[in-house]
Amino acid sequence: MSEQSNAITMDGPESLWYGHKGNLYAMLILGVVAIGSVWALSLDTRWIYLLVYVWFGVGYGVLLQYGRFCMASAVRDLFAVGVPRMAVGMLIAVVLFSLTAAIVKVMGVNTFHPHPIGWHVIIGGAIFGFGIVFTGGCASGSLYKSGEGNLGALLVVLSISFSQAIYVTLGGWFDRLVPASWTESAATKGMPEELTVTEGWFDQFTAGYIWDLKGTTLAESLEFEGEVAGAFVGNAFLGAILPSLVLLVYLYMFAYRKGYLRRYKIEMPKLGDHLRGIWSMVSSSRNTAIAGLGLGLLAGLHMWATGALRDHYQIFNFGELLADMGHTAGLSLQDTVFDPGYWYITTQEAQWGAWVMEKAGMMSRDNIFFGLENGIPNPIINAPGWMSIGIIFGAAVIALSRREFKWKVPNLETAMFALIGGALMGLGARLAMGCNIGAFFATVTNGDLSGWVFLAGMTLGGYLGVKGFSRWMEWRAGKDEFDI
Amino acid sequence: MAVKFEKVADGDYLLDVTGYVCPHPQMYTKKVMGKLESGDVLTLLFDNPSSGESIIAMCDSDGNDLFERTEEGGTSQWKIRKA
């Protein structure tokens, strides 16, 4: 790379930070979020709980855009163009988050709950992985790209939101897809009658299948004695760091080694050459590596901050605070709302879709997902929802300051991919009980091996998606009559 | 708006994937670079920042020379010489 130029003039007033409109808009966004935060706290200091989500969202957005950190490309670019950059960045983030999560665990404020493990994880991961190839971004990636002015990515977010809301409430013909054993098992769970858990495929999937499975962490299943050993050795090292190191070596061997040895004209490589090659792979994209480190750190701090606030307010769920503040309309039957306490994306988007549909008279709460567990809060007081909006804001801030913000209206092809791919991502996320963040990143870093199963499914889906996308590309290239 | 690929002159090609998100820019670039002859130059236009990181990594891996990068108004114009 012998030359890099920037067409933006840097002489005169534009050389000052306020001389560029992008910087001013970026400051305006940060100012609005800051003033909004002060205003919320002036109304009631307990809104600090929601504001923690907002500001960590902004932080995630900044780092995601800075590092072009989209986990979709971790599997997609590996198969599509042979580039391991994002897979490496993702594994760096996993290693660091596992360590910060272990610290938070030892401090006694870790908010993580292990996910039940079963076939649903790999099937959901595969459907999700297939969808992300066509949308051009994972759930968090679509949010940060929305912050770059990409309206196609915003369409993906809308598709994920509404498709999930629809999936979890479908009944009638879809009930025929459910095994009788799930219906029978769901009926024995003693759920309130208004939830009608033996109607609706997702209720029966949840109560008749998921609730019969178990989730655990490696520290628990290996029966580590002592909190420190369990958190650092069981969960962090054995559950996250060791598998990440194995995968890094695998990526080097099969996706990086050949090009590295050719570039440095090494014909008879020794162990030292390979170690330098692995370091070259890890450090080849500085921005992605820095973003991975930052995200790992931030995700742990987020977990600590929410856990500390729960301790402070003596609550288990934000719904309790909302009820105390008189906001009961969006709460579930248990007076809860979705409040993971860490980085999570898809469930709050389902709540957005459900809220709009409820206002339009198209949504009922006779289901476990919304009625019993997550509620349908107004988006204004949906704390994790604000984390997602914070990601858009944070990404917009840094995209504007780097002169990379550009309104992009999708054409018919990208709009179609956004809607269909988003709907597949929504289905995969609901089956697997989360996306690449909730079902993978947050799980493997806390010693829950179900996340690696999700990654295996996502990788399989990504591989098939790339095959399908390549076919589409060949067809398009022929149709446009340009001979590549 | 469609992907545009054209021969500008002998050994000089243009690929315009502006308006497209991942994975279009990197996959079309990979496909085009595979077809060019050694020494040919591709001018690539795209406006999806995350694709840029993958294209840099592709050039590094394949030994192609990304010798000019211009960014203006959120659109990137890069020139790549095939090894």
Side-chain angles (χ1 to χ4, degrees):
Chain A
M1 274 155 264
S2 44
E3 185 184 339
Q4 178 175 359
S5 62
N6 192 324
I8 307 264
T9 298
M10 296 305 288
D11 296 328
E14 287 214 347
S15 63
L16 301 170
W17 72 268
Y18 55 80
H20 187 264
K21 269 197 288 188
N23 286 343
L24 293 178
Y25 285 131
M27 292 303 291
L28 182 66
I29 291 171
L30 283 178
V32 166
V33 179
I35 291 168
S37 301
V38 173
W39 172 71
L41 290 174
S42 72
L43 295 176
D44 193 319
T45 54
R46 287 171 291 185
W47 288 120
I48 186 73
Y49 195 94
L50 180 146
L51 292 171
V52 162
Y53 275 107
V54 175
W55 283 99
F56 274 99
V58 170
Y60 294 140
V62 166
L63 287 168
L64 288 168
Q65 207 283 339
Y66 174 79
R68 325 304 196 190
F69 207 95
C70 175
M71 292 197 191
S73 63
V75 291
R76 183 199 61 219
D77 282 2
L78 203 54
F79 297 127
V81 291
V83 170
R85 172 191 70 90
M86 193 54 244
V88 171
M90 182 180 80
L91 293 170
I92 292 172
V94 164
V95 168
L96 204 76
F97 186 23
S98 71
L99 291 172
T100 53
I103 294 168
V104 175
K105 176 82 175 166
V106 172
M107 291 168 72
V109 287
N110 190 309
T111 54
F112 177 75
H113 297 287
H115 289 200
I117 192 162
W119 282 103
H120 64 287
V121 180
I122 199 160
I123 293 170
I127 295 171
F128 187 84
F130 189 84
I132 57 178
V133 173
F134 291 88
T135 56
C138 63
S140 297
S142 298
L143 286 170
Y144 99 68
K145 288 175 184 180
S146 300
E148 292 176 340
N150 187 332
L151 298 178
L154 196 59
L155 210 52
V156 176
V157 175
L158 290 176
S159 180
I160 294 172
S161 302
F162 284 99
S163 64
Q164 287 185 98
I166 292 167
Y167 294 142
V168 301
T169 52
L170 283 176
W173 182 87
F174 290 90
D175 287 2
R176 295 183 197 174
L177 300 172
V178 175
S181 59
W182 292 4
T183 314
E184 289 161 15
S185 178
T188 64
K189 297 298 189 310
M191 286 292 104
E193 277 186 22
E194 57 262 49
L195 292 177
T196 59
V197 295
T198 53
E199 294 171 19
W201 79 275
F202 197 78
D203 279 358
Q204 294 168 76
F205 167 73
T206 306
Y209 170 70
I210 295 287
W211 288 357
D212 292 340
L213 301 172
K214 284 183 181 167
T216 185
T217 64
L218 215 48
E220 286 169 359
S221 53
L222 294 177
E223 297 179 349
F224 269 85
E225 286 184 16
E227 194 77 28
V228 175
F232 282 95
V233 181
N235 291 345
F237 182 72
L238 294 178
I241 297 172
L242 190 60
S244 297
L245 293 177
V246 170
L247 285 174
L248 281 171
V249 171
Y250 180 85
L251 288 171
Y252 169 73
M253 294 298 290
F254 295 98
Y256 195 81
R257 184 181 58 135
K258 194 175 160 189
Y260 173 76
L261 296 179
R262 190 187 58 232
R263 202 158 57 247
Y264 290 95
K265 300 181 174 56
I266 302 170
E267 290 181 354
M268 299 288 283
K270 296 177 181 165
L271 180 62
D273 295 314
H274 290 308
L275 291 175
R276 279 186 288 277
I278 291 172
W279 176 249
S280 165
M281 177 182 76
V282 168
S283 58
S284 62
S285 178
R286 190 178 60 96
N287 289 11
T288 306
I290 290 172
L293 289 170
L295 287 166
L297 188 65
L298 214 55
L301 283 173
H302 184 182
M303 199 178 262
W304 167 79
T306 310
L309 282 174
R310 284 183 188 170
D311 267 4
H312 175 74
Y313 289 116
Q314 295 292 298
I315 58 168
F316 291 103
N317 182 276
F318 184 47
E320 296 167 64
L321 274 188
L322 284 175
D324 279 350
M325 291 190 280
H327 300 288
T328 56
L331 304 183
S332 73
L333 286 176
Q334 306 176 92
D335 277 351
T336 57
V337 285
F338 179 62
D339 174 26
Y342 47 83
W343 189 4
Y344 209 103
I345 297 295
T346 45
T347 298
Q348 61 265 41
E349 291 179 354
Q351 289 175 307
W352 290 344
W355 185 82
V356 172
M357 289 173 69
E358 190 174 59
K359 289 293 170 198
M362 299 160 65
M363 174 64 63
S364 64
R365 298 192 190 186
D366 59 346
N367 56 74
I368 292 170
F369 188 77
F370 292 121
L372 183 71
E373 293 178 341
N374 299 308
I376 308 179
N378 187 315
I380 296 292
I381 54 172
N382 186 335
W386 274 105
M387 174 170 55
S388 298
I389 295 168
I391 289 175
I392 297 176
F393 284 162
V397 165
I398 197 154
L400 283 161
S401 65
R402 296 169 93 183
R403 282 82 158 151
E404 289 178 350
F405 185 92
K406 181 182 176 185
W407 289 113
K408 277 167 277 189
V409 180
N411 59 22
L412 184 63
E413 182 184 354
T414 48
M416 185 184 73
F417 280 168
L419 290 173
I420 296 172
L424 288 171
M425 288 166 70
L427 178 60
R430 285 291 43 90
L431 286 175
M433 300 286 170
C435 64
N436 53 296
I437 298 299
F440 167 67
F441 188 57
T443 53
V444 297
T445 47
N446 283 278
D448 178 352
L449 299 184
S450 73
W452 293 115
V453 178
F454 180 88
L455 181 66
M458 193 170 95
T459 305
L460 174 67
Y463 174 78
L464 295 173
V466 166
K467 291 285 176 198
F469 190 89
S470 296
R471 290 268 179 94
W472 168 264
M473 210 172 81
E474 296 288 345
W475 180 79
R476 283 284 290 158
K479 191 168 178 285
D480 288 346
E481 294 179 347
F482 64 89
D483 179 27
I484 293 179
Chain B
M1 184 171 55
V3 175
K4 192 165 74 180
F5 176 65
E6 61 189 34
K7 184 174 181 177
V8 181
D10 279 348
D12 195 358
Y13 297 86
L14 172 74
L15 175 65
D16 182 352
V17 277
T18 50
Y20 281 85
V21 294
C22 293
H24 291 80
Q26 54 265 51
M27 283 185 75
Y28 275 102
T29 303
K30 180 88 175 174
K31 192 172 177 60
V32 165
M33 292 308 295
K35 294 285 183 184
L36 299 190
E37 300 291 329
S38 177
D40 287 352
V41 171
L42 176 72
T43 301
L44 171 66
L45 291 173
F46 68 101
D47 56 5
N48 183 52
S50 60
S51 293
E53 291 288 327
S54 298
I55 291 165
I56 291 170
M58 278 161 50
C59 290
D60 273 351
S61 173
D62 298 339
N64 298 323
D65 183 19
L66 173 53
F67 64 95
E68 188 180 308
R69 293 165 59 182
T70 309
E71 326 289 338
E72 186 170 13
T75 299
S76 301
Q77 178 177 299
W78 290 8
K79 287 181 182 290
I80 306 168
R81 183 177 291 110
K82 177 151 180 175

